[in-house]
Amino acid sequence: MTIGPTVSGKVSLARQMARSVLALDIGYFGPEVIAKAKLCLLDFLSCAFEAGHHPWSRQAVAIAQAGGGATIIGTSQLSSPADAAFANAVMGHGLVREDMHAASIAHHGVVIWPALLALSEQTPLRGATLLTAAVIGYETGARIGRALLTSDLARLYRPTGLVAPLGAALAGSFALDLSEDEATSAIAIAANTSSGLNEWPHAGGSDMYFHPGFAAGNAIKAVGLAAAGAFGSETIIEGEAGLFAAYRRQAAPDSIALFPDGECEIMAVYNKPVPACNFAQTAAQAALRVSHELANTDEIDRIVIRASEAAVRYPGCDSMGPYRNALQAKMSIPFSVAATLARGEIEEENYSELGDTDIVRLVAVTELEAGAGFTAAFPGRQGAEVTVHLRGGRSIRHALPDVIAATPSDIRARFRSSATTVLGEDRAHRLEELIDDCEQLGNAGDIAAQCRLNAPERALRSAS
């Protein structure tokens, strides 16, 4: 049954988005867009392999029901697509090093890739379809997020949990070749699952790790329900009790255009260089430059950090401790800067000793404030400044206009390291080849299968 225009005569936002992308193919996108999608997939898998041993990852795998055809990354376990997507999303988020879209304050890749990889083992997909669907998913979640999110809203609700389910639902709808009606319903049903509260930075909980898991698993269920004939509320985004009314408390825009003028939001996504909150990245990088001119942290009298208002106000970013766990420290801009100054590097180990006396002292003498210039430049640029005032009256200051993202070489190096640790060198190399040649793949499910400890012979052959 085709619904089309709503009673007001307008085509719903969900239908507008579905209608605009369902006929696309990989040829619509330039080579730089496809290359970026492949790098994002490599980086997602890198994080999942590396975080597989963390408690939240093990917990997510433990509740996945055995049986089914979908791979749980880095294990020999098969599960249902929804359960596998949940576990894989949690692992991909487990380092706090996932890719980031600043304007929507969201991590789309840790929802889109788990959903699509699981679906690729449920229904045969060509590699070109997988990549196209992923770009559509990033675009959808990012464009909705740009329109929906404010810093006030992000203090209460997790942006990834609010907008990524809708992006993953449209990506899955495209991947499975759903009709316009079905895709519209999939978006609507997924929007009903938008959730994720930001109490975890304050309470020290691990809730955050599970947000993308719920989003990915729910997106798969939304797509499945729509394909089975379920009818979602067409005006779920702009309706009087829809997404914008419920969360933004304002009317939705008349249109949320996808790929306007050929622009792709995935190109605005950056890959984090270090495992910490997005808003702590640039300040830590500026602090690293300060550390190169610092003889000894004992001479530090006071530290002043300036960043955008969005960074200063995001939950947990202004935390001065005490820190119950590494996640709270990774969210804290003062801790990230203090640890960088104390250690002279930005690594995972910066967050391993929360009670380090030097770091604790530096946090205590740190001031964090919003800078007008950085606020005005956000989200196009994420700048920050660190000024260290020394006991003798001298000061050291370094500012960066924007975060320095991980390079393609960085991404490949950490993928090779983490994948080799889990799969072995030969299998890791084969997996990288599969992704590099993804648009030529007849069965994209081979990528997911290659991430399994006991990959089937078919997947091994397709990479050789």
Side-chain angles (χ1 to χ4, degrees):
M1 176 176 66
T2 300
I3 303 301
T6 63
V7 292
S8 66
K10 294 181 179 179
V11 176
S12 70
L13 291 179
R15 184 173 293 276
Q16 286 179 34
M17 288 187 281
R19 182 174 293 173
S20 69
V21 301
L22 290 180
L24 293 180
D25 60 36
I26 198 168
Y28 179 82
F29 305 112
E32 73 284 356
V33 174
I34 301 307
K36 181 63 175 285
K38 293 176 183 179
L39 281 174
C40 287
L41 176 53
L42 285 168
D43 210 29
F44 161 72
L45 291 175
S46 165
C47 293
F49 284 129
E50 196 169 334
H53 67 283
H54 288 320
W56 34 91
S57 299
R58 296 197 303 268
Q59 291 153 6
V61 173
I63 67 167
Q65 295 294 315
T71 296
I72 296 181
I73 294 168
T75 76
S76 58
Q77 185 171 334
L78 292 172
S79 191
S80 70
D83 278 3
F86 179 91
N88 292 337
V90 174
M91 286 191 281
H93 200 33
L95 296 180
V96 198
R97 203 187 67 200
E98 59 293 306
D99 63 30
M100 176 72 193
H101 183 267
S104 59
I105 324 176
H107 310 293
H108 301 281
V110 287
V111 178
I112 291 163
W113 293 117
L116 289 178
L117 289 175
L119 288 175
S120 74
E121 293 186 287
Q122 171 185 300
T123 302
L125 304 178
R126 299 188 66 83
T129 302
L130 179 80
L131 292 172
T132 306
V135 176
I136 289 170
Y138 276 92
E139 182 76 12
T140 304
R143 294 287 177 186
I144 294 173
R146 277 187 185 272
L148 178 67
L149 270 302
T150 65
S151 60
D152 284 335
L153 187 56
R155 286 177 68 83
L156 299 175
Y157 301 101
R158 188 85 189 285
T160 300
L162 294 190
V163 300
L166 288 78
L170 186 51
S173 298
F174 177 90
L176 299 189
D177 198 26
L178 266 57
S179 69
E180 182 183 304
D181 288 343
E182 292 167 337
T184 301
S185 285
I187 295 169
I189 295 168
N192 278 278
T193 72
S194 291
S195 64
L197 298 173
N198 269 339
E199 179 59 17
W200 53 273
H202 310 298
S206 58
D207 322 25
M208 180 207 78
Y209 295 114
F210 306 114
H211 291 162
F214 291 125
N218 286 333
I220 285 181
K221 291 178 181 179
V223 171
L225 286 167
F231 173 58
S233 303
E234 176 139 351
T235 51
I236 195 68
I237 298 175
E238 71 274 22
E240 62 183 274
L243 191 72
F244 276 77
Y247 292 109
R248 183 72 181 261
R249 303 288 174 163
Q250 293 179 5
D254 290 335
S255 176
I256 299 178
L258 304 185
F259 307 113
D261 301 319
E263 295 180 1
C264 297
E265 287 286 2
I266 195 172
M267 300 307 293
V269 168
Y270 87 93
N271 300 86
K272 290 182 182 178
V274 295
C277 174
N278 165 65
F279 291 123
Q281 301 277 325
T282 315
Q285 291 174 334
L288 184 62
R289 284 155 177 75
V290 171
S291 74
H292 295 159
E293 300 179 31
L294 192 63
N296 194 308
T297 55
D298 290 340
E299 60 181 326
I300 296 177
D301 181 61
R302 187 166 61 97
I303 303 167
V304 178
I305 307 168
R306 291 186 178 87
S308 69
E309 184 179 3
V312 173
R313 297 191 71 223
Y314 194 79
C317 285
D318 63 350
S319 175
M320 303 294 288
Y323 307 99
R324 298 180 183 86
N325 52 46
L327 178 55
Q328 284 184 308
K330 288 183 175 188
M331 293 302 300
S332 169
I333 298 174
F335 186 96
S336 292
V337 166
T340 301
L341 292 172
R343 294 176 55 87
E345 61 182 359
I346 315 174
E347 299 293 346
E348 177 74 17
E349 290 73 21
N350 286 25
Y351 305 94
S352 62
E353 297 183 21
L354 304 182
D356 180 279
T357 55
D358 196 13
I359 296 175
V360 169
R361 184 189 78 80
L362 295 178
V363 169
V365 298
T366 295
E367 302 168 21
L368 175 64
E369 58 188 49
F374 297 132
T375 298
F378 182 85
R381 292 185 295 171
Q382 297 195 86
E385 172 189 287
V386 173
T387 304
V388 171
H389 298 274
L390 306 180
R391 298 189 192 280
R394 188 170 66 93
S395 63
I396 306 172
R397 172 188 169 275
H398 277 278
L400 291 172
D402 200 2
V403 63
I404 301 172
T407 66
S409 295
D410 295 333
I411 293 167
R412 287 187 180 275
R414 63 198 192 190
F415 167 81
R416 290 165 184 164
S417 175
S418 60
T420 297
T421 298
V422 175
L423 301 176
E425 187 174 357
D426 288 345
R427 292 275 308 283
H429 178 68
R430 290 169 182 165
L431 177 57
E432 186 174 0
E433 284 185 328
L434 281 175
I435 295 169
D436 283 339
D437 297 333
C438 186
E439 63 266 56
Q440 309 302 326
L441 279 181
N443 187 349
D446 290 346
I447 293 174
Q450 186 69 227
C451 297
R452 203 183 311 160
L453 290 186
N454 57 342
E457 185 63 29
R458 173 181 56 79
L460 296 177
R461 287 199 306 270
S462 68
S464 60

